Amino acid sequence: MEKLKVGIVGLGRLGKIHAGNIANKIRNAELTAACSIVPAELEYAKTELGVEKVYLDYREMLRDPDVDAVVIVTTSREHCWQIEAALDAGKHVFSEKPLGVDVEQCHMAEAAVERHPEKTFMLGFMRRYDRSYAYAKQKIDSGAIGTPYLVKATGIDPEALVEGAIRFAKTSGGIFLDMAIHDIDLMRWFLGAEVTEVYAMGATFKHPAFREAGDDETGLAVYRFANGAMGMVHVGRTAPYGYHVETEIVGTEGTIRISAVPEKNLARLYNGAGVVTECVEGFPERFAEAYLLEMEEFVDCALTGRQPGVSVYDGTESTKIGYATTEAWKTGKAVKL
Ligand SMILES: NC(=O)c1ccc[n+]([C@@H]2O[C@H](COP(=O)([O-])OP(=O)(O)OC[C@H]3O[C@@H](n4cnc5c(N)ncnc54)[C@H](O)[C@@H]3O)[C@@H](O)[C@H]2O)c1
């Protein structure tokens, strides 16, 4: 069987998940190389994943002929130059979201993708590969809810992780750029239209440290789309019960709700506290299967010369909308796109 030889860059929180999937779960892929600026992560790649070639220098990994494709899971500001360098070195590229940290960088990545149409490029909007979201999209496209006219999205991180979010608050770019990008992508995908206008606001009731860092612990944004449809995104940091990701798409003939209860599994615990449904704990648990399915799609596209459904332009558009949302939140004024 032909196997795609993959080199991964970045073996942090998410890099380890992708690396484990490529090394152990995807039958037509092989993890031949790994790169990180953290030596302990390279040791992890060698000992835990059996990767023979490890690099501290990304450009050196790109010169390795045993690497057909690069999976980029580094800090967001590194994505665009690493995308460009990999495509120019003749590699297929999967990059984590966001595409870039500003729109100029995104255009640079677009130009690199356009220079190499023979290479597969994919962006990690993995929710599109989650079975429930993919099913919802299929139902919308088949007319099951008539014309979709409203998407309501909720994404609240577990309160258990709030200390990390506070430490990161000064440099995260703000709650919307940090947390709303997947919901922004999903709204565009479900509604089949682009955002023309956004209103946004934020609030902080539990952790004043967010305000002190120029951020908010909760954000709410309302969108108008070019076809007249509407969107609403609620993001936050303080869900005491776990990781709350929920999406509702309302159409003229019906509604689809995805994880109306963000439940861990189908088990119910009946005890002195009542009937308890435990909540999913975090994104690695909620989207474990989606991370695997999106990587299988990338590998298949690279081996067969296809381009995936998520394009570089989806990355630029979501970044633009993220910035417009942030501007609306900071200024208190509606922002037109
Ligand atoms: N799709 C999702 O749901 C999702 C979830 C979490 C994170 N992410 C994205 O994934 C990326 C990584 O996030 P994380 O939480 O794993 O971060 P992390 O900080 O845990 O890991 C980042 C890794 O990048 C490496 N790195 C940074 N600069 C490098 C360079 N120049 N060369 C080589 N290695 C370099 C670091 O050593 C580290 O291994 C971010 O862009 C983030 O937005 C996406």
Side-chain angles (χ1 to χ4, degrees):
M1 181 203 308
E2 196 193 350
K3 286 195 174 191
L4 187 74
K5 294 175 185 163
V6 181
I8 192 162
V9 57
L11 283 157
R13 250 176 358 152
L14 186 55
K16 286 196 179 72
I17 295 176
H18 284 315
N21 284 341
I22 297 162
N24 302 321
K25 295 191 181 161
I26 303 182
R27 57 187 178 79
N28 51 354
E30 201 181 332
L31 191 62
T32 51
C35 169
S36 170
I37 49 176
V38 179
E41 292 180 1
L42 297 181
E43 202 46 43
Y44 172 88
K46 276 199 221 166
T47 54
E48 301 295 318
L49 303 170
V51 178
E52 285 175 12
K53 295 181 178 181
V54 294
Y55 297 93
L56 282 165
D57 178 358
Y58 177 62
R59 290 189 191 275
E60 206 183 317
M61 184 172 84
L62 294 183
R63 286 194 286 275
D64 186 338
D66 269 341
V67 171
D68 306 321
V70 172
V71 168
I72 299 171
V73 206
T74 48
T75 323
S76 304
R77 65 175 176 278
E78 309 287 329
H79 294 176
C80 285
W81 76 264
Q82 292 185 335
I83 290 168
E84 184 179 51
L87 287 166
D88 287 346
K91 316 292 184 190
H92 303 285
V93 176
F94 173 96
S95 172
E96 254 317 318
K97 62 80 196 152
L99 178 59
V101 293
D102 61 48
V103 176
E104 287 72 36
Q105 276 195 359
C106 293
H107 287 316
M108 189 179 96
E110 281 182 4
V113 170
E114 285 164 8
R115 272 199 304 282
H116 300 286
E118 75 292 356
K119 294 292 162 197
T120 294
F121 174 79
M122 182 168 173
L123 190 68
F125 280 141
M126 80 301 178
R127 288 196 196 175
R128 294 197 192 193
Y129 295 87
D130 173 81
R131 284 193 201 280
S132 304
Y133 285 105
Y135 177 80
K137 172 70 172 162
Q138 202 186 323
K139 285 289 169 195
I140 292 167
D141 289 349
S142 71
I145 59 165
T147 302
Y149 63 83
L150 173 64
V151 177
K152 293 193 260 178
T154 304
I156 315 174
D157 272 349
E159 174 104 45
L161 301 181
V162 77
E163 290 306 325
I166 288 171
R167 274 199 302 278
F168 185 51
K170 267 201 178 105
T171 52
S172 72
I175 189 159
F176 291 104
L177 280 168
D178 191 41
M179 295 197 65
I181 202 103
H182 286 294
D183 296 308
I184 289 170
D185 178 62
L186 286 177
M187 285 191 304
R188 297 175 56 243
W189 192 49
F190 287 139
L191 295 171
E194 296 300 350
V195 169
T196 55
E197 190 172 13
V198 52
Y199 305 78
M201 61 186 79
T204 298
F205 280 85
K206 268 183 123 169
H207 303 280
F210 281 107
R211 268 282 157 87
E212 287 153 20
D215 202 357
D216 263 318
E217 68 186 16
T218 296
L220 183 70
V222 177
Y223 299 86
R224 171 70 75 186
F225 286 77
N227 62 359
M230 299 170 289
M232 192 196 88
V233 175
H234 165 197
V235 282
R237 307 282 193 187
T238 55
Y241 43 86
Y243 178 53
H244 190 148
V245 166
E246 178 190 349
T247 310
E248 181 174 353
I249 307 116
V250 186
T252 52
E253 307 302 329
T255 289
I256 303 176
R257 290 184 76 172
I258 300 149
S259 8
V261 177
E263 57 202 359
K264 191 175 191 67
N265 51 40
L266 296 178
R268 299 284 174 274
L269 176 62
Y270 297 71
N271 64 13
V275 181
V276 180
T277 302
E278 279 186 31
C279 185
V280 66
E281 277 174 30
F283 72 84
E285 182 186 4
R286 170 64 182 84
F287 291 110
E289 190 188 32
Y291 291 124
L292 177 61
L293 292 175
E294 72 171 350
M295 201 54 71
E296 283 178 347
E297 171 68 355
F298 170 66
V299 169
D300 193 61
C301 284
L303 287 173
T304 58
R306 281 190 301 118
Q307 292 295 342
V310 193
S311 77
V312 70
Y313 306 105
D314 292 313
T316 307
E317 205 52 43
S318 55
T319 303
K320 275 189 199 161
I321 298 167
Y323 271 99
T325 310
T326 302
E327 187 187 335
W329 161 55
K330 294 274 182 197
T331 62
K333 295 192 174 127
V335 173
K336 293 206 189 289
L337 281 107

